[in-house]
């Protein structure tokens, strides 16, 4: 399942009070520069690029620094109003051949709003994925939670390779992508599994047919290399970066490959970077974590039975959900919303508390005979299909290319049948989404052993919610260990929303903002009280 932090919901969230926790000071990171390039600092043994790739990154960065980015009005396709500006920068498809084929990646910029004396350069943002675009990031400058950061930094968004207008990938006809109704069986039959195997094989073949030999170059390592070229194109000596969800993984790859190019980095909702987890085991762990969040929602709905009438216990709420699944399996709501679309509503609720009430209202109304709220909430969007297909294509290419996956169907079936006995909600849906990787014909990489030598990396900040489903909390602890004394972790206790920096928790935001403005970290393990549960409405 794609793990994309929902930063777009920030404006609708309410701030909570400070917890009173005290931060201990760390030395601020070095000041940013204005275009000079800094030699890379070696990371832990065994991790560097090949000599050809290392030379290719240096050459591409030098060229980008000399050329810069010609920012101007954004194309209408981006939907970004002035004063946001857009431009492009060039990267080699294959860094081992920097004089070979290049692609252009799109960038957006919102100028820092403060006086020259408070400005600190560019802050680059990635919202996750793989397959997510950060192009809308400059618009966050208009939100109160981001105001002080917007005074200090140019807000830089970009679309990674393959995403949006950045040499877009496609694996299937977008016109037919994601159409409903669809099924989402928790315990699929042998016949259903056979159909999904055929679909996975066809999808993997479609990726290769549509992209050809370039497909193998859509990887997390290349995303990290592209980020270094963007740093240089922006005229920045050292990188300021906020990565959420998958953005934390290739951000950690960046920190491993280019620790000497880091100024400040925030890893928000952390992917477990262990090579043993990338990516097959991470997806199994994610399915187990979504079961916990699904339980959290059911328990919340039961406490608000007087509003939603879904049941007085979480088991009764689950029975109401299954009743709706059975009914939708017989007749789709509005001709488009089947069990798969209903499940999608509550997968979204697993990402963010802000979706809890809308899901409960729609399910309640549907069971009372009014399908209109569910149709409005869950119907697939024909207009959004091309972007959805593009995002899924990039997700598939990056995850399949990054690491070896089991090629034996019996392994997939055994592992997911076993997990689905205790975590049925979306285990098999997640497995089928990733199943093309079992039939991938492109050479795989070995995952980078992420980590840095002690004191090789400036201080960086990790943020994590304790019950995050998309990136389980253990991932933050693993990255904290691997960054060898260079990181601090702020935990939102008892919470599960995915993507917490710049959201409604004032305690989290205090550490987030202080670090990016001053370089000062809290103590290595710091806790903020969780946000209040959403109100029933």
């Amino acid at each position: 399942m794609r793990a994309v932090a929902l930063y777009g919901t920030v404006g609708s969230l309410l701030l909570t009070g400070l917890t009173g926790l005290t931060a201990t000071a760390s030395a601020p990171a070095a000041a940013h520069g204005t275009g000079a390039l800094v030699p890379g600092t070696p990371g832990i043994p065994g991790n560097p690029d090949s000599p050809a790739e290392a030379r290719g990154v240096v050459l591409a960065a030098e060229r980008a620094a000399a050329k810069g980015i010609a920012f101007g009005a954004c194309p209408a396709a981006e939907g970004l109003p002035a004063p946001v500006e857009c431009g492009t920068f060039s990267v080699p498809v294959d860094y081992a051949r920097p004089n070979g084929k290049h692609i252009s990646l799109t960038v957006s910029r919102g100028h820092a709003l403060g006086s020259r004396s408070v400005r600190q350069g560019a802050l680059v943002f990635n919202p996750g994925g793989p397959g997510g675009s950060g192009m809308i990031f400059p618009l966050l400058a208009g939100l109160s939670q981001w105001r002080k950061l917007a005074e200090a930094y140019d807000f830089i968004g970009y679309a990674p390779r393959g995403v949006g207008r950045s040499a877009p990938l496609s694996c299937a006809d977008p016109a037919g992508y994601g159409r409903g109704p669809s099924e989402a069986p928790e315990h699929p039959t042998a016949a259903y599994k056979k159909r999904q195997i055929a679909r996975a094989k066809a999808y993997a073949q479609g990726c290769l047919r549509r992209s050809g030999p370039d497909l193998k170059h859509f990887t997390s390592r290349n995303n990290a290399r592209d980020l270094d070229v963007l740093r240089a194109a922006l005229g920045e000596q050292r990188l300021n970066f906020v990565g959420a969800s998958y953005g934390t993984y290739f951000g950690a790859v960046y920190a491993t490959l280019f620790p000497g190019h880091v100024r400040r980095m925030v890893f928000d909702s952390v992917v477990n970077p262990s090579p043993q987890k990338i990516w097959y085991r991470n997806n199994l762990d994610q399915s187990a974590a979504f079961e916990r969040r699904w339980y959290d929602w059911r328990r919340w709905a039961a406490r608000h039975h007087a509003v939603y009438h879904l049941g007085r216990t979480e088991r009764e709420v689950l029975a109401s959900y299954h009743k709706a699944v059975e009914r939708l399996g017989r007749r789709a709501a509005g001709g488009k919303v089947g069990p798969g679309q209903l499940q999608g509503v509550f997968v979204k609720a697993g990402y963010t508390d802000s979706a809890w009430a809308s899901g409960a209202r729609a399910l309640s109304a549907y069971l009372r005979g009014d399908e209109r709220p569910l149709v409005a909430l869950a119907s697939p969007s024909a207009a959004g299909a091309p972007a959805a297909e593009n995002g899924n294509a990039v997700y598939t290419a990056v995850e399949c290319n990054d690491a070896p996956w089991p090629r034996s169907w019996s392994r997939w079936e055994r592992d997911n049948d076993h997990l689905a006995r205790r975590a049925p909600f979306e285990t098999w849906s997640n497995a089928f989404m990733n199943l093309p990787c079992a039939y991938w014909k492109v050479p795989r990489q070995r995952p980078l052993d992420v980590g840095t030598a002690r004191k090789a990396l400036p201080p960086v900040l990790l943020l994590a919610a304790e019950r995050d489903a998309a990136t389980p909390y253990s991932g933050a602890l693993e990255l904290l260990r691997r960054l060898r004394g260079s990181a601090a972790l702020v935990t939102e206790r008892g919470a599960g929303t995915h993507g917490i920096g710049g959201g409604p928790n004032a305690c989290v935001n205090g550490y987030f903002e202080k670090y990016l403005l001053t370089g000062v970290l809290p103590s290595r393990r710091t806790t903020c009280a969780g946000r209040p549960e959403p109100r029933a409405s």
Side-chain angles (χ1 to χ4, degrees), residues 115-140:
S115 64
R116 186 176 298 274
S117 63
V118 302
R119 294 181 186 176
Q120 299 193 42
L123 178 64
V124 179
F125 173 74
N126 178 272
S133 171
M135 288 292 287
I136 68 168
F137 179 54
L139 299 183
L140 269 65

Side-chain angles (χ1 to χ4, degrees), residues 70-75 78 80 84-88 107-109 135 165:
F71 283 104
C74 292
E78 296 294 349
L80 294 171
V84 179
E85 302 171 316
C86 291
T88 63
V107 188
S108 59
R109 179 175 69 181
M135 288 292 287
R165 296 186 302 114

Side-chain angles (χ1 to χ4, degrees), residues 322-332 365-369:
H322 283 147
K323 181 179 179 181
V325 167
E326 183 179 356
R327 186 185 297 178
L328 289 166
R330 294 195 301 268
R331 189 185 73 82
Y366 175 73
L367 291 172
R368 295 196 313 271

Side-chain angles (χ1 to χ4, degrees), residues 235-283:
E236 295 293 315
Q237 189 178 28
R238 297 181 189 272
L239 177 71
N240 301 299
F241 178 72
V242 175
S245 194
Y246 168 72
T248 69
Y249 178 64
F250 83 81
V253 171
Y254 182 94
T256 301
L257 295 175
F258 309 105
H261 294 180
V262 173
R263 181 175 181 259
R264 293 176 192 156
M265 297 189 86
V266 177
F267 301 92
D268 186 351
S269 304
V270 183
V271 169
N272 192 321
S274 168
Q276 288 70 41
K277 296 286 187 178
I278 305 297
W279 286 102
Y280 181 73
R281 294 299 316 178
N282 264 337
N283 277 284

Side-chain angles (χ1 to χ4, degrees), residues 473-495:
Y473 184 67
S474 58
L477 299 178
E478 179 68 12
L479 184 58
L480 183 68
R481 182 185 70 80
R482 286 172 171 268
L483 295 183
R484 301 174 190 267
S486 295
L489 169 62
V490 174
T491 299
E492 188 178 20
R493 188 175 61 246

Side-chain angles (χ1 to χ4, degrees), residues 139-503:
L139 299 183
L140 269 65
L143 303 179
S144 60
Q145 300 97 309
W146 294 82
R147 182 70 186 188
K148 289 184 180 178
L149 296 175
E151 291 177 352
Y153 290 101
D154 292 347
F155 276 17
I156 305 294
Y158 76 109
R161 61 169 64 197
V163 178
R165 296 186 302 114
S166 295
L169 277 183
S170 176
C171 294
D173 181 2
Y177 184 80
R179 289 191 298 188
S182 64
E183 301 176 70
E186 294 180 346
H187 302 285
T189 64
Y192 186 87
K193 291 174 181 176
K194 186 176 181 179
R195 291 196 299 272
Q196 294 302 313
I197 291 170
R199 289 184 63 183
K201 289 178 178 178
Y203 193 80
Q205 291 166 0
C207 293
L208 183 57
R209 183 176 65 253
R210 287 169 174 256
S211 300
D214 289 353
L215 184 61
K216 66 182 179 182
H217 298 295
F218 290 84
T219 66
S220 292
R221 285 203 192 204
N222 276 343
N223 284 338
R225 295 166 182 139
D226 293 347
L227 184 59
D228 200 53
V229 178
L230 174 57
R231 170 200 60 77
L234 291 167
E236 295 293 315
Q237 189 178 28
R238 297 181 189 272
L239 177 71
N240 301 299
F241 178 72
V242 175
S245 194
Y246 168 72
T248 69
Y249 178 64
F250 83 81
V253 171
Y254 182 94
T256 301
L257 295 175
F258 309 105
H261 294 180
V262 173
R263 181 175 181 259
R264 293 176 192 156
M265 297 189 86
V266 177
F267 301 92
D268 186 351
S269 304
V270 183
V271 169
N272 192 321
S274 168
Q276 288 70 41
K277 296 286 187 178
I278 305 297
W279 286 102
Y280 181 73
R281 294 299 316 178
N282 264 337
N283 277 284
L284 291 170
D285 292 347
Q286 187 184 66
S287 294
F290 262 96
E291 195 71 25
R292 292 193 296 271
R293 282 293 280 166
W294 176 221
Y295 174 84
D296 290 346
W297 179 85
R298 300 194 318 260
R299 187 176 54 181
W300 172 85
R303 286 199 293 271
H304 297 290
H305 174 71
V307 178
Y308 302 117
H309 310 289
L310 294 172
R312 291 181 172 83
T313 68
E314 62 87 15
R315 288 195 176 190
E316 290 178 352
V317 174
L318 182 61
S320 292
Y321 171 78
H322 283 147
K323 181 179 179 181
V325 167
E326 183 179 356
R327 186 185 297 178
L328 289 166
R330 294 195 301 268
R331 189 185 73 82
K336 298 180 179 179
V337 177
Q341 287 66 48
L342 179 67
Q343 184 206 43
V345 168
F346 294 104
V347 168
K348 182 178 179 181
Y351 277 97
T352 172
D353 295 2
S354 66
W356 283 16
S358 60
R361 287 195 304 270
L363 177 59
S364 177
Y366 175 73
L367 291 172
R368 295 196 313 271
D370 180 5
E371 65 181 28
R372 290 172 300 177
L374 181 59
V375 170
L377 187 62
S379 290
S381 166
E389 193 280 321
N390 169 238
N392 194 74
V394 176
Y395 169 91
T396 304
V398 171
E399 292 214 354
C400 295
N401 285 337
D402 267 0
W405 288 72
R407 293 190 179 275
S408 166
W409 165 248
S410 62
R411 167 77 183 279
W412 287 73
E413 186 171 41
R414 181 179 68 251
D415 288 348
N416 286 281
D417 272 345
H418 177 75
L419 179 58
R421 294 188 192 106
R422 61 182 175 86
F425 173 59
E426 63 94 37
T427 289
W428 270 111
S429 295
N430 201 4
F432 291 137
M433 179 177 178
N434 291 286
L435 189 57
C437 294
Y439 308 107
W440 203 244
K441 301 301 183 182
V442 177
R444 323 297 184 96
Q445 295 186 344
R446 302 297 305 184
L448 190 69
D449 193 11
V450 162
T452 55
R454 190 169 295 278
K455 297 185 178 180
L457 185 69
V460 298
L461 180 66
L462 281 58
L463 306 174
E466 210 168 31
R467 294 182 71 81
D468 186 348
T471 53
Y473 184 67
S474 58
L477 299 178
E478 179 68 12
L479 184 58
L480 183 68
R481 182 185 70 80
R482 286 172 171 268
L483 295 183
R484 301 174 190 267
S486 295
L489 169 62
V490 174
T491 299
E492 188 178 20
R493 188 175 61 246
T497 287
H498 184 62
I500 61 176

